[in-house]
Amino acid sequence: MEKNHIAIFIIPLFILNCFTSRAELNDSTITKRFSIHSQTTVVNQTKPAFKAAYSGENSLQPGRENQTSLTSTLFLGMRLWKGASVFMNPEIAGGSGLSQALGVAAAPNGETFRVGSPEPKIYLARLFYTQVFALDKYTEHQSDDQNQLAGYEPIRFFSITAGKLCVADYFDDNKYSHDPKTQFMSWGLMDNGAWDYPANTRGYTPSLVLQYIRPRYEWRYALSLTPKTANGNEMNWNLGNAHSSSLEFTYKCRIKNREGALRLLGFFNTTHMGNYNESIRLQPDSPDIVLTRRYGRTKFGFTINAEQEILNDLGCFFRAGWNDGINETWHYTEIDQTLSAGLVLRGDRWKRKDDNIGLAAVASGISSPHR
């Protein structure tokens, strides 16, 4: 068995078509109580055939593949009273990733899920309520956007958000690498791969998010439900024995008058996970992690996330992450350690500010018993 803990996969992926459209259905300078937006993203990827010494049902398949994915989301928002708003996002998703998003932990298309069936399906992605409490009288204007209402919002505030949401919308943010619709599409680049963040198969979960925001620093905490099965859709409401906690500190800085940010995140998950070493002891030749699942198992880890503006239209990012790698991955992807870095150039120079050209690298590994 190989003793190499770090595996770097270089796979030729030809993006034949990547189209993102966003339809803004209201004027943010007029409508402040209601907000309606939509987005549709289509991604087509292909890879050539390659030789493999061995393959299994969870491997990247060695034959030539061509797969297309589609996601379309409607973003509805309404202001209720001072500081209070509610948002709802119906979504449709279909298609498949290469090899059904298996075989590469940093899967190359962040718009795909491990759902098995490629048929489009309509579901409720997000439905949540937010209450903002101003900490002083100072405000700034906020433009109308997806899940964001136009109006004057406090600069210093404490907020409570509760409902079905995507935890990654609030944590591990990065100006240059976080949105697979408009930036890097790899699972190992859109989020920190070592953060086993709580989510169902499609990336959403009931959560409570607390935020304390000031101009130079931010604190966030989330308590979230976990699925009943690994990467499953049905959530486990046995909160005492199955839950996830995420805590993040953000420090916003300036280097040579250029904006930057540093984020430190820690997480702790507990549910009825399986244990890698125990499954090996029970069946050395063919370990089955499912046979060792029980409540009381935990997974914890830490991540660091940095971004820095270099020029008006050029920026860089860096991420590193680690988790203990003792018990099975429950939510995200099979990564226990990761390093990533990259550069992103915005399309100002050719008068298309929404364009991005980027170059990034990610190296990911798993723990010895996990391997």
PDB file of all heavy atoms in Angstrom, residues 87-124:
ATOM      1  N   PHE A  87     -36.298  35.227   3.102  1.00  0.00           N
ATOM      2  CA  PHE A  87     -35.865  34.886   1.748  1.00  0.00           C
ATOM      3  C   PHE A  87     -36.256  33.439   1.436  1.00  0.00           C
ATOM      4  O   PHE A  87     -36.220  32.562   2.308  1.00  0.00           O
ATOM      5  CB  PHE A  87     -34.355  35.037   1.609  1.00  0.00           C
ATOM      6  CG  PHE A  87     -33.869  36.441   1.837  1.00  0.00           C
ATOM      7  CD1 PHE A  87     -33.469  36.848   3.094  1.00  0.00           C
ATOM      8  CD2 PHE A  87     -33.839  37.357   0.801  1.00  0.00           C
ATOM      9  CE1 PHE A  87     -33.038  38.148   3.321  1.00  0.00           C
ATOM     10  CE2 PHE A  87     -33.408  38.656   1.005  1.00  0.00           C
ATOM     11  CZ  PHE A  87     -33.002  39.049   2.273  1.00  0.00           C
ATOM     12  N   MET A  88     -36.616  33.212   0.169  1.00  0.00           N
ATOM     13  CA  MET A  88     -36.970  31.878  -0.295  1.00  0.00           C
ATOM     14  C   MET A  88     -36.346  31.650  -1.667  1.00  0.00           C
ATOM     15  O   MET A  88     -36.393  32.524  -2.536  1.00  0.00           O
ATOM     16  CB  MET A  88     -38.486  31.712  -0.379  1.00  0.00           C
ATOM     17  CG  MET A  88     -38.921  30.313  -0.816  1.00  0.00           C
ATOM     18  SD  MET A  88     -40.715  30.056  -0.700  1.00  0.00           S
ATOM     19  CE  MET A  88     -41.301  31.148  -1.984  1.00  0.00           C
ATOM     20  N   ASN A  89     -35.738  30.466  -1.870  1.00  0.00           N
ATOM     21  CA  ASN A  89     -35.056  30.133  -3.128  1.00  0.00           C
ATOM     22  C   ASN A  89     -35.511  28.786  -3.662  1.00  0.00           C
ATOM     23  O   ASN A  89     -34.926  27.743  -3.337  1.00  0.00           O
ATOM     24  CB  ASN A  89     -33.543  30.087  -2.925  1.00  0.00           C
ATOM     25  CG  ASN A  89     -32.914  31.377  -2.466  1.00  0.00           C
ATOM     26  OD1 ASN A  89     -31.796  31.391  -2.007  1.00  0.00           O
ATOM     27  ND2 ASN A  89     -33.640  32.475  -2.553  1.00  0.00           N
ATOM     28  N   PRO A  90     -36.549  28.737  -4.502  1.00  0.00           N
ATOM     29  CA  PRO A  90     -36.826  27.494  -5.237  1.00  0.00           C
ATOM     30  C   PRO A  90     -35.703  27.258  -6.253  1.00  0.00           C
ATOM     31  O   PRO A  90     -35.161  28.211  -6.820  1.00  0.00           O
ATOM     32  CB  PRO A  90     -38.156  27.789  -5.931  1.00  0.00           C
ATOM     33  CG  PRO A  90     -38.676  29.043  -5.304  1.00  0.00           C
ATOM     34  CD  PRO A  90     -37.509  29.796  -4.805  1.00  0.00           C
ATOM     35  N   GLU A  91     -35.379  26.008  -6.486  1.00  0.00           N
ATOM     36  CA  GLU A  91     -34.252  25.689  -7.375  1.00  0.00           C
ATOM     37  C   GLU A  91     -34.549  24.429  -8.177  1.00  0.00           C
ATOM     38  O   GLU A  91     -35.249  23.525  -7.712  1.00  0.00           O
ATOM     39  CB  GLU A  91     -32.978  25.500  -6.538  1.00  0.00           C
ATOM     40  CG  GLU A  91     -31.695  25.376  -7.338  1.00  0.00           C
ATOM     41  CD  GLU A  91     -30.478  25.497  -6.437  1.00  0.00           C
ATOM     42  OE1 GLU A  91     -30.127  24.507  -5.747  1.00  0.00           O
ATOM     43  OE2 GLU A  91     -29.882  26.589  -6.394  1.00  0.00           O
ATOM     44  N   ILE A  92     -34.007  24.389  -9.394  1.00  0.00           N
ATOM     45  CA  ILE A  92     -34.060  23.176 -10.201  1.00  0.00           C
ATOM     46  C   ILE A  92     -32.639  22.828 -10.602  1.00  0.00           C
ATOM     47  O   ILE A  92     -31.849  23.708 -10.956  1.00  0.00           O
ATOM     48  CB  ILE A  92     -34.966  23.356 -11.442  1.00  0.00           C
ATOM     49  CG1 ILE A  92     -35.029  22.056 -12.240  1.00  0.00           C
ATOM     50  CG2 ILE A  92     -34.507  24.519 -12.308  1.00  0.00           C
ATOM     51  CD1 ILE A  92     -36.055  22.080 -13.369  1.00  0.00           C
ATOM     52  N   ALA A  93     -32.295  21.551 -10.507  1.00  0.00           N
ATOM     53  CA  ALA A  93     -30.950  21.101 -10.872  1.00  0.00           C
ATOM     54  C   ALA A  93     -31.052  19.765 -11.593  1.00  0.00           C
ATOM     55  O   ALA A  93     -31.904  18.933 -11.287  1.00  0.00           O
ATOM     56  CB  ALA A  93     -30.062  20.959  -9.636  1.00  0.00           C
ATOM     57  N   GLY A  94     -30.170  19.587 -12.550  1.00  0.00           N
ATOM     58  CA  GLY A  94     -30.147  18.336 -13.302  1.00  0.00           C
ATOM     59  C   GLY A  94     -28.790  18.122 -13.939  1.00  0.00           C
ATOM     60  O   GLY A  94     -27.893  18.957 -13.852  1.00  0.00           O
ATOM     61  N   GLY A  95     -28.646  16.978 -14.595  1.00  0.00           N
ATOM     62  CA  GLY A  95     -27.375  16.637 -15.212  1.00  0.00           C
ATOM     63  C   GLY A  95     -26.462  15.908 -14.254  1.00  0.00           C
ATOM     64  O   GLY A  95     -26.859  15.494 -13.161  1.00  0.00           O
ATOM     65  N   SER A  96     -25.211  15.767 -14.641  1.00  0.00           N
ATOM     66  CA  SER A  96     -24.273  14.973 -13.856  1.00  0.00           C
ATOM     67  C   SER A  96     -22.857  15.492 -14.037  1.00  0.00           C
ATOM     68  O   SER A  96     -22.516  16.090 -15.064  1.00  0.00           O
ATOM     69  CB  SER A  96     -24.337  13.505 -14.293  1.00  0.00           C
ATOM     70  OG  SER A  96     -23.368  12.726 -13.622  1.00  0.00           O
ATOM     71  N   GLY A  97     -22.032  15.245 -13.031  1.00  0.00           N
ATOM     72  CA  GLY A  97     -20.609  15.517 -13.154  1.00  0.00           C
ATOM     73  C   GLY A  97     -19.901  14.327 -13.780  1.00  0.00           C
ATOM     74  O   GLY A  97     -20.493  13.266 -13.986  1.00  0.00           O
ATOM     75  N   LEU A  98     -18.638  14.491 -14.091  1.00  0.00           N
ATOM     76  CA  LEU A  98     -17.850  13.386 -14.627  1.00  0.00           C
ATOM     77  C   LEU A  98     -17.834  12.237 -13.628  1.00  0.00           C
ATOM     78  O   LEU A  98     -17.575  12.435 -12.438  1.00  0.00           O
ATOM     79  CB  LEU A  98     -16.429  13.851 -14.932  1.00  0.00           C
ATOM     80  CG  LEU A  98     -16.297  14.963 -15.993  1.00  0.00           C
ATOM     81  CD1 LEU A  98     -14.849  15.413 -16.101  1.00  0.00           C
ATOM     82  CD2 LEU A  98     -16.823  14.499 -17.332  1.00  0.00           C
ATOM     83  N   SER A  99     -18.154  11.032 -14.082  1.00  0.00           N
ATOM     84  CA  SER A  99     -18.199   9.834 -13.226  1.00  0.00           C
ATOM     85  C   SER A  99     -19.098  10.057 -12.009  1.00  0.00           C
ATOM     86  O   SER A  99     -18.802   9.584 -10.907  1.00  0.00           O
ATOM     87  CB  SER A  99     -16.794   9.416 -12.787  1.00  0.00           C
ATOM     88  OG  SER A  99     -15.972   9.139 -13.899  1.00  0.00           O
ATOM     89  N   GLN A 100     -20.192  10.793 -12.205  1.00  0.00           N
ATOM     90  CA  GLN A 100     -21.160  11.098 -11.146  1.00  0.00           C
ATOM     91  C   GLN A 100     -20.505  11.783  -9.952  1.00  0.00           C
ATOM     92  O   GLN A 100     -20.860  11.555  -8.799  1.00  0.00           O
ATOM     93  CB  GLN A 100     -21.900   9.832 -10.703  1.00  0.00           C
ATOM     94  CG  GLN A 100     -22.768   9.232 -11.803  1.00  0.00           C
ATOM     95  CD  GLN A 100     -23.567   8.038 -11.320  1.00  0.00           C
ATOM     96  OE1 GLN A 100     -23.066   7.217 -10.555  1.00  0.00           O
ATOM     97  NE2 GLN A 100     -24.813   7.951 -11.758  1.00  0.00           N
ATOM     98  N   ALA A 101     -19.520  12.660 -10.244  1.00  0.00           N
ATOM     99  CA  ALA A 101     -18.784  13.429  -9.223  1.00  0.00           C
ATOM    100  C   ALA A 101     -18.028  12.518  -8.255  1.00  0.00           C
ATOM    101  O   ALA A 101     -17.772  12.902  -7.113  1.00  0.00           O
ATOM    102  CB  ALA A 101     -19.717  14.363  -8.467  1.00  0.00           C
ATOM    103  N   LEU A 102     -17.640  11.335  -8.713  1.00  0.00           N
ATOM    104  CA  LEU A 102     -16.847  10.402  -7.896  1.00  0.00           C
ATOM    105  C   LEU A 102     -15.427  10.298  -8.453  1.00  0.00           C
ATOM    106  O   LEU A 102     -15.157  10.662  -9.588  1.00  0.00           O
ATOM    107  CB  LEU A 102     -17.500   9.015  -7.891  1.00  0.00           C
ATOM    108  CG  LEU A 102     -18.901   8.929  -7.283  1.00  0.00           C
ATOM    109  CD1 LEU A 102     -19.515   7.558  -7.540  1.00  0.00           C
ATOM    110  CD2 LEU A 102     -18.848   9.220  -5.792  1.00  0.00           C
ATOM    111  N   GLY A 103     -14.516   9.791  -7.631  1.00  0.00           N
ATOM    112  CA  GLY A 103     -13.165   9.494  -8.092  1.00  0.00           C
ATOM    113  C   GLY A 103     -12.162  10.607  -7.923  1.00  0.00           C
ATOM    114  O   GLY A 103     -10.954  10.370  -7.921  1.00  0.00           O
ATOM    115  N   VAL A 104     -12.607  11.841  -7.758  1.00  0.00           N
ATOM    116  CA  VAL A 104     -11.725  12.982  -7.494  1.00  0.00           C
ATOM    117  C   VAL A 104     -12.345  13.752  -6.336  1.00  0.00           C
ATOM    118  O   VAL A 104     -13.465  14.257  -6.458  1.00  0.00           O
ATOM    119  CB  VAL A 104     -11.579  13.903  -8.729  1.00  0.00           C
ATOM    120  CG1 VAL A 104     -10.645  15.069  -8.414  1.00  0.00           C
ATOM    121  CG2 VAL A 104     -11.057  13.126  -9.926  1.00  0.00           C
ATOM    122  N   ALA A 105     -11.645  13.837  -5.206  1.00  0.00           N
ATOM    123  CA  ALA A 105     -12.211  14.525  -4.046  1.00  0.00           C
ATOM    124  C   ALA A 105     -12.468  15.998  -4.360  1.00  0.00           C
ATOM    125  O   ALA A 105     -13.487  16.547  -3.961  1.00  0.00           O
ATOM    126  CB  ALA A 105     -11.273  14.387  -2.847  1.00  0.00           C
ATOM    127  N   ALA A 106     -11.540  16.643  -5.068  1.00  0.00           N
ATOM    128  CA  ALA A 106     -11.741  18.016  -5.531  1.00  0.00           C
ATOM    129  C   ALA A 106     -12.437  17.965  -6.886  1.00  0.00           C
ATOM    130  O   ALA A 106     -11.878  18.352  -7.915  1.00  0.00           O
ATOM    131  CB  ALA A 106     -10.414  18.755  -5.617  1.00  0.00           C
ATOM    132  N   ALA A 107     -13.660  17.440  -6.910  1.00  0.00           N
ATOM    133  CA  ALA A 107     -14.412  17.220  -8.148  1.00  0.00           C
ATOM    134  C   ALA A 107     -14.421  18.492  -8.994  1.00  0.00           C
ATOM    135  O   ALA A 107     -14.497  19.602  -8.459  1.00  0.00           O
ATOM    136  CB  ALA A 107     -15.838  16.789  -7.816  1.00  0.00           C
ATOM    137  N   PRO A 108     -14.338  18.354 -10.318  1.00  0.00           N
ATOM    138  CA  PRO A 108     -14.112  19.523 -11.178  1.00  0.00           C
ATOM    139  C   PRO A 108     -15.324  20.394 -11.463  1.00  0.00           C
ATOM    140  O   PRO A 108     -15.175  21.423 -12.102  1.00  0.00           O
ATOM    141  CB  PRO A 108     -13.581  18.896 -12.474  1.00  0.00           C
ATOM    142  CG  PRO A 108     -14.145  17.521 -12.486  1.00  0.00           C
ATOM    143  CD  PRO A 108     -14.210  17.092 -11.053  1.00  0.00           C
ATOM    144  N   ASN A 109     -16.521  20.025 -11.013  1.00  0.00           N
ATOM    145  CA  ASN A 109     -17.700  20.842 -11.286  1.00  0.00           C
ATOM    146  C   ASN A 109     -18.499  21.047 -10.008  1.00  0.00           C
ATOM    147  O   ASN A 109     -19.227  20.154  -9.562  1.00  0.00           O
ATOM    148  CB  ASN A 109     -18.566  20.189 -12.376  1.00  0.00           C
ATOM    149  CG  ASN A 109     -19.754  21.052 -12.767  1.00  0.00           C
ATOM    150  OD1 ASN A 109     -19.978  22.121 -12.209  1.00  0.00           O
ATOM    151  ND2 ASN A 109     -20.541  20.582 -13.729  1.00  0.00           N
ATOM    152  N   GLY A 110     -18.388  22.230  -9.443  1.00  0.00           N
ATOM    153  CA  GLY A 110     -19.085  22.540  -8.200  1.00  0.00           C
ATOM    154  C   GLY A 110     -20.575  22.702  -8.343  1.00  0.00           C
ATOM    155  O   GLY A 110     -21.287  22.871  -7.344  1.00  0.00           O
ATOM    156  N   GLU A 111     -21.093  22.642  -9.562  1.00  0.00           N
ATOM    157  CA  GLU A 111     -22.533  22.743  -9.802  1.00  0.00           C
ATOM    158  C   GLU A 111     -23.208  21.375  -9.812  1.00  0.00           C
ATOM    159  O   GLU A 111     -24.403  21.277 -10.099  1.00  0.00           O
ATOM    160  CB  GLU A 111     -22.788  23.446 -11.131  1.00  0.00           C
ATOM    161  CG  GLU A 111     -22.505  24.942 -11.097  1.00  0.00           C
ATOM    162  CD  GLU A 111     -23.459  25.672 -10.168  1.00  0.00           C
ATOM    163  OE1 GLU A 111     -24.625  25.871 -10.538  1.00  0.00           O
ATOM    164  OE2 GLU A 111     -23.043  26.031  -9.058  1.00  0.00           O
ATOM    165  N   THR A 112     -22.465  20.302  -9.529  1.00  0.00           N
ATOM    166  CA  THR A 112     -23.036  18.956  -9.538  1.00  0.00           C
ATOM    167  C   THR A 112     -23.053  18.371  -8.134  1.00  0.00           C
ATOM    168  O   THR A 112     -22.291  18.771  -7.258  1.00  0.00           O
ATOM    169  CB  THR A 112     -22.233  18.029 -10.468  1.00  0.00           C
ATOM    170  OG1 THR A 112     -20.851  18.005 -10.044  1.00  0.00           O
ATOM    171  CG2 THR A 112     -22.308  18.507 -11.900  1.00  0.00           C
ATOM    172  N   PHE A 113     -23.928  17.373  -7.953  1.00  0.00           N
ATOM    173  CA  PHE A 113     -24.102  16.732  -6.657  1.00  0.00           C
ATOM    174  C   PHE A 113     -24.066  15.218  -6.852  1.00  0.00           C
ATOM    175  O   PHE A 113     -24.262  14.720  -7.963  1.00  0.00           O
ATOM    176  CB  PHE A 113     -25.443  17.127  -6.024  1.00  0.00           C
ATOM    177  CG  PHE A 113     -25.774  18.586  -6.173  1.00  0.00           C
ATOM    178  CD1 PHE A 113     -26.670  19.018  -7.142  1.00  0.00           C
ATOM    179  CD2 PHE A 113     -25.180  19.528  -5.366  1.00  0.00           C
ATOM    180  CE1 PHE A 113     -26.976  20.356  -7.296  1.00  0.00           C
ATOM    181  CE2 PHE A 113     -25.472  20.878  -5.499  1.00  0.00           C
ATOM    182  CZ  PHE A 113     -26.375  21.290  -6.476  1.00  0.00           C
ATOM    183  N   ARG A 114     -23.843  14.498  -5.776  1.00  0.00           N
ATOM    184  CA  ARG A 114     -23.824  13.034  -5.847  1.00  0.00           C
ATOM    185  C   ARG A 114     -25.221  12.493  -5.592  1.00  0.00           C
ATOM    186  O   ARG A 114     -25.486  11.835  -4.592  1.00  0.00           O
ATOM    187  CB  ARG A 114     -22.811  12.483  -4.841  1.00  0.00           C
ATOM    188  CG  ARG A 114     -21.378  12.814  -5.236  1.00  0.00           C
ATOM    189  CD  ARG A 114     -20.373  12.412  -4.196  1.00  0.00           C
ATOM    190  NE  ARG A 114     -19.024  12.728  -4.658  1.00  0.00           N
ATOM    191  CZ  ARG A 114     -18.009  12.998  -3.841  1.00  0.00           C
ATOM    192  NH1 ARG A 114     -18.200  13.017  -2.534  1.00  0.00           N
ATOM    193  NH2 ARG A 114     -16.816  13.268  -4.324  1.00  0.00           N
ATOM    194  N   VAL A 115     -26.128  12.788  -6.524  1.00  0.00           N
ATOM    195  CA  VAL A 115     -27.522  12.392  -6.354  1.00  0.00           C
ATOM    196  C   VAL A 115     -27.879  11.132  -7.129  1.00  0.00           C
ATOM    197  O   VAL A 115     -28.951  10.579  -6.952  1.00  0.00           O
ATOM    198  CB  VAL A 115     -28.470  13.536  -6.790  1.00  0.00           C
ATOM    199  CG1 VAL A 115     -28.317  14.725  -5.868  1.00  0.00           C
ATOM    200  CG2 VAL A 115     -28.193  13.952  -8.231  1.00  0.00           C
ATOM    201  N   GLY A 116     -27.001  10.667  -7.998  1.00  0.00           N
ATOM    202  CA  GLY A 116     -27.260   9.437  -8.733  1.00  0.00           C
ATOM    203  C   GLY A 116     -28.063   9.633 -10.002  1.00  0.00           C
ATOM    204  O   GLY A 116     -27.678   9.179 -11.063  1.00  0.00           O
ATOM    205  N   SER A 117     -29.195  10.322  -9.930  1.00  0.00           N
ATOM    206  CA  SER A 117     -30.078  10.489 -11.091  1.00  0.00           C
ATOM    207  C   SER A 117     -29.811  11.826 -11.770  1.00  0.00           C
ATOM    208  O   SER A 117     -29.787  12.873 -11.116  1.00  0.00           O
ATOM    209  CB  SER A 117     -31.546  10.427 -10.660  1.00  0.00           C
ATOM    210  OG  SER A 117     -32.395  10.716 -11.750  1.00  0.00           O
ATOM    211  N   PRO A 118     -29.640  11.825 -13.100  1.00  0.00           N
ATOM    212  CA  PRO A 118     -29.355  13.080 -13.817  1.00  0.00           C
ATOM    213  C   PRO A 118     -30.604  13.895 -14.170  1.00  0.00           C
ATOM    214  O   PRO A 118     -30.484  15.014 -14.651  1.00  0.00           O
ATOM    215  CB  PRO A 118     -28.666  12.590 -15.096  1.00  0.00           C
ATOM    216  CG  PRO A 118     -29.275  11.244 -15.350  1.00  0.00           C
ATOM    217  CD  PRO A 118     -29.547  10.657 -13.985  1.00  0.00           C
ATOM    218  N   GLU A 119     -31.803  13.342 -13.952  1.00  0.00           N
ATOM    219  CA  GLU A 119     -33.022  14.049 -14.325  1.00  0.00           C
ATOM    220  C   GLU A 119     -33.181  15.331 -13.497  1.00  0.00           C
ATOM    221  O   GLU A 119     -32.935  15.329 -12.287  1.00  0.00           O
ATOM    222  CB  GLU A 119     -34.261  13.169 -14.113  1.00  0.00           C
ATOM    223  CG  GLU A 119     -34.421  12.059 -15.136  1.00  0.00           C
ATOM    224  CD  GLU A 119     -33.491  10.887 -14.873  1.00  0.00           C
ATOM    225  OE1 GLU A 119     -33.005  10.777 -13.728  1.00  0.00           O
ATOM    226  OE2 GLU A 119     -33.251  10.107 -15.804  1.00  0.00           O
ATOM    227  N   PRO A 120     -33.611  16.432 -14.136  1.00  0.00           N
ATOM    228  CA  PRO A 120     -33.830  17.678 -13.392  1.00  0.00           C
ATOM    229  C   PRO A 120     -34.872  17.500 -12.295  1.00  0.00           C
ATOM    230  O   PRO A 120     -35.870  16.805 -12.481  1.00  0.00           O
ATOM    231  CB  PRO A 120     -34.321  18.647 -14.476  1.00  0.00           C
ATOM    232  CG  PRO A 120     -33.810  18.081 -15.757  1.00  0.00           C
ATOM    233  CD  PRO A 120     -33.838  16.589 -15.577  1.00  0.00           C
ATOM    234  N   LYS A 121     -34.634  18.135 -11.164  1.00  0.00           N
ATOM    235  CA  LYS A 121     -35.550  18.038 -10.026  1.00  0.00           C
ATOM    236  C   LYS A 121     -35.731  19.416  -9.413  1.00  0.00           C
ATOM    237  O   LYS A 121     -34.770  20.162  -9.240  1.00  0.00           O
ATOM    238  CB  LYS A 121     -35.005  17.064  -8.978  1.00  0.00           C
ATOM    239  CG  LYS A 121     -35.947  16.851  -7.795  1.00  0.00           C
ATOM    240  CD  LYS A 121     -35.417  15.827  -6.827  1.00  0.00           C
ATOM    241  CE  LYS A 121     -36.389  15.626  -5.661  1.00  0.00           C
ATOM    242  NZ  LYS A 121     -35.897  14.626  -4.683  1.00  0.00           N
ATOM    243  N   ILE A 122     -36.983  19.742  -9.065  1.00  0.00           N
ATOM    244  CA  ILE A 122     -37.293  21.004  -8.399  1.00  0.00           C
ATOM    245  C   ILE A 122     -37.355  20.765  -6.887  1.00  0.00           C
ATOM    246  O   ILE A 122     -37.940  19.788  -6.432  1.00  0.00           O
ATOM    247  CB  ILE A 122     -38.633  21.573  -8.902  1.00  0.00           C
ATOM    248  CG1 ILE A 122     -38.570  21.839 -10.413  1.00  0.00           C
ATOM    249  CG2 ILE A 122     -38.994  22.854  -8.160  1.00  0.00           C
ATOM    250  CD1 ILE A 122     -39.894  22.268 -11.008  1.00  0.00           C
ATOM    251  N   TYR A 123     -36.750  21.660  -6.122  1.00  0.00           N
ATOM    252  CA  TYR A 123     -36.744  21.525  -4.663  1.00  0.00           C
ATOM    253  C   TYR A 123     -36.585  22.913  -4.046  1.00  0.00           C
ATOM    254  O   TYR A 123     -36.247  23.896  -4.734  1.00  0.00           O
ATOM    255  CB  TYR A 123     -35.602  20.599  -4.203  1.00  0.00           C
ATOM    256  CG  TYR A 123     -34.249  20.986  -4.757  1.00  0.00           C
ATOM    257  CD1 TYR A 123     -33.413  21.866  -4.081  1.00  0.00           C
ATOM    258  CD2 TYR A 123     -33.820  20.480  -5.980  1.00  0.00           C
ATOM    259  CE1 TYR A 123     -32.191  22.226  -4.604  1.00  0.00           C
ATOM    260  CE2 TYR A 123     -32.591  20.840  -6.513  1.00  0.00           C
ATOM    261  CZ  TYR A 123     -31.785  21.713  -5.813  1.00  0.00           C
ATOM    262  OH  TYR A 123     -30.563  22.090  -6.345  1.00  0.00           O
ATOM    263  N   LEU A 124     -36.823  23.007  -2.753  1.00  0.00           N
ATOM    264  CA  LEU A 124     -36.640  24.262  -2.028  1.00  0.00           C
ATOM    265  C   LEU A 124     -35.205  24.292  -1.495  1.00  0.00           C
ATOM    266  O   LEU A 124     -34.847  23.523  -0.608  1.00  0.00           O
ATOM    267  CB  LEU A 124     -37.634  24.370  -0.874  1.00  0.00           C
ATOM    268  CG  LEU A 124     -37.560  25.669  -0.064  1.00  0.00           C
ATOM    269  CD1 LEU A 124     -37.931  26.865  -0.931  1.00  0.00           C
ATOM    270  CD2 LEU A 124     -38.479  25.588   1.158  1.00  0.00           C
TER     271      LEU A 124
END
